[in-house]
Amino acid sequence: MEIKKLVLKGLEANRPIVIAGPCSAESREQVMQTATELAEKGIKIFRAGIWKPRTKPGGFEGIGAVGLPWLKEVKEKTGMMVATEVATPAHVLEAIKAGIDLLWIGARTAANPFAMQELADALKGVDIPILLKNPVNPDLELWIGGLERLYNAGLTNLGVIHRGFSSYDKKIYRNAPLWHIPIELKRRYPEITIICDPSHIGGARELVAPIAQQAMDLNFDGLIIESHCNPDCALSDAKQQLTPAVLDYTLNMLVIRDNVQTTENLSVLRKQIDELDEQLLTLLAKRMRISQEIGTYKLEHNMPVLQSGRYDQLLKSRQDMGSKLNLSGEFVDSIVKAIHEESVRVQLDLKK
């Protein structure tokens, strides 16, 4: 599979490519107002979800094909390219018929090889850019497999969107960035165009700017950011959408570096440390939840919170484990003692 840079006709070859617009097309007025404001800020590609995959039924699942003429009107009145997500062959047919300039395939669809093959078959002969989001689960081979299905269908104007990965545990981000996965994708396919989706990674508008900067520091080619004329009233993903004015400010504040290095670059290593720290804190939170369950059991069975025999055994086993991992005994002792103290505190709080 030989993937070249994404070709976007009519756009200058500048970094970053910016795709912006509301999570969902909600009404003609909302679409046109947002598009007009974005066009005034210099945005060249307008995005809006027409069909919205939702976790549970009952939420706003998109306006449907009735919204496609609104995107066509945006294209005619502002000159912007227009983009939307497709998840079924029927979506593809409707979008192509409406003259959509760019399509992306969402994370839930990317995780399903059967759905990906159906889309690949439906897209045969289509000569517009196609972007594939990473699957919801952190599986690089599944992501590459989706690209291969599209490529084998004769599609060569391909790129990807990194939108982060789902996790059961609570965390800072809505979807963990796990930067090493898109970095490895870029290592295998050096010419591939990678767009970052800071809206879905962060899940909160205050996180969009720092994540966008991280993507630029990692030499990503562009950004796809959700922008709404009135974000607080959005029917979907209200917390992560920016007004066009805030988006413009965010983009103007980005530092674009021309000499970004590979994974040896210090900024990349620091991102890996940030990622590992998040994983450590998530694991510690999980450990404290288990300590709380143990405390509940002790309380119900009238057992003492502190059991010195168990602690001595735990300390010794962790010292042995740390030694095998080339960690100093003093460092391991301090960590184990701090964790044990917090576990005791959690269990004592149950008695209050």
Side-chain angles (χ1 to χ4, degrees), residues 42-327:
I43 301 300
K44 303 299 183 185
I45 309 176
F46 180 81
R47 59 140 291 156
I50 296 296
W51 302 278
K52 298 300 299 180
R54 305 309 296 272
T55 302
K56 293 181 179 180
F60 179 64
E61 296 184 328
I63 201 72
V66 69
L68 289 171
W70 306 340
L71 298 188
K72 187 176 182 179
E73 186 176 356
V74 166
K75 185 176 176 179
E76 292 170 350
K77 291 187 175 179
T78 69
M80 287 193 288
M81 297 174 64
V82 291
T84 197
E85 178 180 346
V86 291
T88 69
H91 294 170
V92 171
L93 294 175
E94 294 279 5
I96 297 302
K97 186 170 64 175
I100 301 300
D101 300 291
L102 181 152
L103 301 175
W104 78 83
I105 299 169
R108 291 179 173 88
T109 309
N112 185 337
F114 293 111
M116 281 303 307
Q117 188 60 55
E118 289 180 356
L119 284 177
D121 293 340
L123 286 164
K124 282 182 180 178
V126 172
D127 187 25
I128 62 173
I130 309 294
L131 296 172
L132 178 63
K133 285 195 172 186
N134 61 260
V136 289
N137 48 314
D139 188 336
L140 177 59
E141 299 307 322
L142 189 59
W143 198 0
I144 292 174
L147 281 171
E148 288 178 346
R149 292 178 189 278
L150 296 171
Y151 186 83
N152 291 342
L155 303 166
T156 57
N157 199 9
L158 299 173
V160 296
I161 298 174
H162 173 50
R163 50 79 79 188
F165 301 91
S166 298
S167 173
Y168 178 77
D169 295 303
K170 291 183 179 179
K171 52 196 178 304
I172 300 170
Y173 303 110
R174 177 181 178 183
N175 294 292
L178 302 184
W179 296 106
H180 64 281
I181 294 179
I183 287 171
E184 174 61 16
L185 179 66
K186 188 76 169 180
R187 187 190 68 79
R188 297 195 199 181
Y189 303 97
E191 293 298 313
I192 195 167
T193 297
I194 302 186
I195 307 292
C196 180
D197 181 349
S199 303
H200 280 90
I201 290 175
R205 57 182 67 116
E206 63 270 17
L207 293 177
V208 170
I211 295 169
Q213 184 61 63
Q214 290 176 26
M216 292 299 97
D217 290 345
L218 292 171
N219 208 22
F220 277 48
D221 298 283
L223 302 164
I224 180 168
I225 300 178
E226 291 186 345
S227 179
H228 192 294
C229 58
N230 189 2
D232 291 333
C233 296
L235 298 181
S236 58
D237 286 349
K239 293 181 180 180
Q240 66 191 42
Q241 300 195 63
L242 309 179
T243 64
V246 172
L247 172 64
D248 184 55
Y249 177 80
T250 299
L251 294 175
N252 286 329
M253 291 299 291
L254 287 176
V255 177
I256 309 300
R257 311 180 204 284
D258 295 327
N259 61 342
V260 179
Q261 302 299 313
T262 59
T263 52
E264 286 74 30
N265 186 290
L266 186 59
S267 65
V268 176
L269 296 175
R270 285 172 175 165
K271 299 303 183 298
Q272 292 178 3
I273 286 177
D274 291 342
E275 187 176 301
L276 288 169
D277 284 347
E278 183 192 349
Q279 293 176 23
L280 283 171
L281 291 172
T282 300
L283 286 172
L284 285 171
K286 185 183 293 185
R287 191 189 193 284
M288 293 309 151
R289 287 198 296 272
I290 296 173
S291 293
Q292 189 175 44
E293 292 178 12
I294 291 172
T296 300
Y297 181 91
K298 290 176 180 177
L299 187 63
E300 291 173 348
H301 293 79
N302 199 28
M303 296 170 63
V305 168
L306 186 61
Q307 296 180 316
S308 57
R310 161 64 179 164
Y311 176 65
D312 291 341
Q313 180 186 15
L314 183 147
L315 188 60
K316 177 64 169 61
S317 68
R318 301 310 184 259
Q319 287 172 338
D320 292 342
M321 192 184 303
S323 178
K324 292 176 183 177
L325 295 171
N326 202 29
L327 297 172

